[in-house]
Amino acid sequence: QLFLYFSLKFHSLTKLRNHPYISFYQAKAIVDYRRSEGNIKSPAQLTLIDEFTEQDLIRLEPYILFE
């Protein structure tokens, strides 16, 4: 499956987990963050999630749409 861009705003836990650069724990953290804080609108918000390292953000940023 080819992943070009994906939105953190809409995808479910399962869909996020299917991305090769996102672990189950990171996908769960994204869903939990959205549930408690609202949509993620910038890469800076991902830095607030403990499951993401700086290296993770560098690797994911080209594929993420912030809408």
Side-chain angles (χ1 to χ4, degrees):
Q1 190 174 14
L2 181 62
F3 289 91
L4 296 177
Y5 301 102
F6 66 100
S7 172
L8 296 180
K9 187 175 185 178
F10 300 111
H11 289 321
S12 66
L13 175 65
T14 304
K15 188 85 166 181
L16 288 170
R17 176 57 196 106
N18 284 333
H19 193 282
Y21 294 157
I22 298 179
S23 72
F24 168 80
Y25 298 104
Q26 290 170 326
K28 185 171 180 338
I30 289 170
V31 172
D32 290 345
Y33 184 90
R34 283 192 325 218
R35 192 173 296 132
S36 66
E37 305 295 327
N39 290 326
I40 298 172
K41 298 177 182 153
S42 73
Q45 285 181 288
L46 281 177
T47 64
L48 302 174
I49 300 174
D50 291 336
E51 284 77 10
F52 286 92
T53 66
E54 187 67 32
Q55 189 65 27
D56 292 331
L57 297 176
I58 291 169
R59 186 172 46 175
L60 280 171
E61 196 167 1
Y63 302 102
I64 298 173
L65 294 175
F66 296 98
E67 301 171 348

